[in-house]
Amino acid sequence: MKWKGRRSSSNVEDARGRQVSAAAGGAGIGMIFNLVGRTFGFKGILAMLVIGFLLWQFGVLDPAQVISGKPGVTEVEYQPTPEEQERFDFVTVVLADTEDVWNEQFRQMGQQYQEPRLQIFSGRTNTACGMGEAAMGPFYCPGDSMVYIDLSFYDELARAFQAPGDFAQAYVIAHEVGHHIQNLLGISDQVHARRGQNDFNEMSVRLELQADFLAGVWANHNRQYLDQGDIEEAMQAANAIGDDAIQQRTQGRVVPHAFTHGTSEQRMRWFNKGLRTGDINQGNTFEGPYDRL
Ligand SMILES: [Zn+2]
């Protein structure tokens, strides 16, 4: 994909230097006091308070955080490797690309596109949807209209999922932005309202396939920047992260009723349909029988 020197989005937040610790828990502190008191008596507790006070003085410990049990946030200066920084810059260009395409598509529908924000984090992060962790892979939170990604996912995509290449990486962002489009159009709300119902899993697959379709629509309107082999890279990624492929690798067997993203074949088909048509109206994954998606 041709991306160097092109416009980068101003909607990207760099949170790589933000370290979020898990909740300490107020109950845990009570337990420690109890234990120290029983083992070392009153002097033990006194010693612990003195140590705690010193740690607080030196900025190592935040008493408010210890008592409330809320996750603590510390900002450190993050020093990326040149390779990491290149990935970062790449993501800001891809996001700008999605802004250009979706601003135009919404204008054609007579609507105003509200651009999402994208946060690049490292390890874990606080979101309006709860704690986000790198292990979850990239995700979109409708609560704060934000796409979250830990760039180490791209290593996983290349190694574990055998889907290297910059366009595979771009596809991942375009898919998450697809969820943002669904949020703006009220589609995600309709699906999430069915949580707990029998067909929720099916609805969730339809939602995921539509996000793949929307990534394809984006790719269609971005053709001028594609290199030879880019589409294959995206298809490779769609193929690798299908539920059946993931289950096969992690459990050694395929359990269709537990699908929430669609099979590799379905994901490739819908991405391809978006790519071929470039028309947002061709992506109704909610009609038609489920077994024919
Ligand atoms: Zn998704």
Side-chain angles (χ1 to χ4, degrees):
M1 181 181 160
K2 297 170 186 68
W3 66 274
K4 285 195 174 158
R6 295 181 43 217
R7 181 177 86 84
S8 54
S9 171
S10 54
N11 287 314
V12 176
E13 182 183 310
D14 184 0
R16 290 175 297 177
R18 199 174 300 162
Q19 296 177 337
V20 181
S21 64
I29 291 300
M31 237 171 64
I32 292 170
F33 265 104
N34 204 321
L35 196 71
V36 171
R38 264 188 303 171
T39 319
F40 302 105
F42 177 69
K43 277 184 189 159
I45 292 181
L46 206 65
M48 206 174 80
L49 285 174
V50 170
I51 292 167
F53 177 76
L54 288 175
L55 289 175
W56 171 55
Q57 282 293 299
F58 288 107
V60 180
L61 198 89
D62 175 6
Q65 179 202 328
V66 171
I67 293 162
S68 70
K70 288 214 180 86
V73 178
T74 7
E75 292 278 353
V76 295
E77 203 183 328
Y78 187 81
Q79 282 298 346
T81 63
E83 203 182 10
E84 272 175 317
Q85 198 50 43
E86 178 159 299
R87 276 181 178 172
F88 185 98
D89 297 340
F90 172 75
V91 168
T92 63
V93 172
V94 172
L95 187 66
D97 265 351
T98 66
E99 289 163 359
D100 293 345
V101 168
W102 292 115
N103 271 310
E104 175 60 18
Q105 294 298 305
F106 270 63
R107 200 188 55 74
Q108 285 177 18
M109 291 191 287
Q111 293 186 44
Q112 169 94 42
Y113 180 55
Q114 291 155 286
E115 297 172 352
R117 291 183 58 73
L118 183 149
Q119 189 197 81
I120 298 179
F121 70 99
S122 182
R124 49 158 75 109
T125 187
N126 288 317
T127 84
C129 302
M131 180 78 81
E133 310 234 4
M136 294 157 63
F139 62 95
Y140 171 75
C141 170
D144 50 22
S145 298
M146 183 110 91
V147 173
Y148 292 88
I149 183 167
D150 179 316
L151 296 178
S152 65
F153 176 74
Y154 286 152
D155 292 327
E156 205 181 333
L157 196 63
R159 259 185 260 122
F161 294 118
Q162 303 274 304
D166 57 4
F167 203 70
Q169 299 175 359
Y171 156 80
V172 168
I173 303 289
H175 172 96
E176 297 310 328
V177 171
H179 285 311
H180 175 67
I181 309 289
Q182 293 172 318
N183 186 27
L184 293 180
L185 298 177
I187 301 167
S188 341
D189 278 350
Q190 288 170 30
V191 172
H192 290 132
R194 303 189 75 87
R195 195 173 285 280
Q197 312 258 357
N198 283 338
D199 63 351
F200 176 67
N201 207 24
E202 283 186 22
M203 294 295 275
S204 168
V205 169
R206 291 178 188 272
L207 192 71
E208 290 303 327
L209 294 177
Q210 192 177 53
D212 286 331
F213 167 83
L214 293 169
V217 171
W218 165 77
N220 174 292
H221 293 279
N222 229 25
R223 272 172 186 270
Q224 69 264 39
Y225 303 117
L226 299 192
D227 292 323
Q228 191 80 30
D230 272 355
I231 296 304
E232 287 72 19
E233 279 177 16
M235 296 290 265
Q236 181 75 24
N239 182 39
I241 57 186
D243 283 340
D244 51 346
I246 291 178
Q247 285 185 0
Q248 192 82 42
R249 201 168 26 245
T250 56
Q251 308 175 346
R253 67 200 154 88
V254 177
V255 193
H257 66 263
F259 286 2
T260 50
H261 280 75
T263 64
S264 297
E265 203 250 319
Q266 287 173 321
R267 298 197 69 167
M268 288 197 289
R269 179 139 31 94
W270 282 98
F271 172 77
N272 213 2
K273 190 173 183 191
L275 175 71
R276 234 179 32 244
T277 63
D279 177 7
I280 187 170
N281 297 312
Q282 303 292 317
N284 191 349
T285 54
F286 291 89
E287 67 180 11
Y290 181 70
D291 54 9
R292 296 256 202 85
L293 273 174

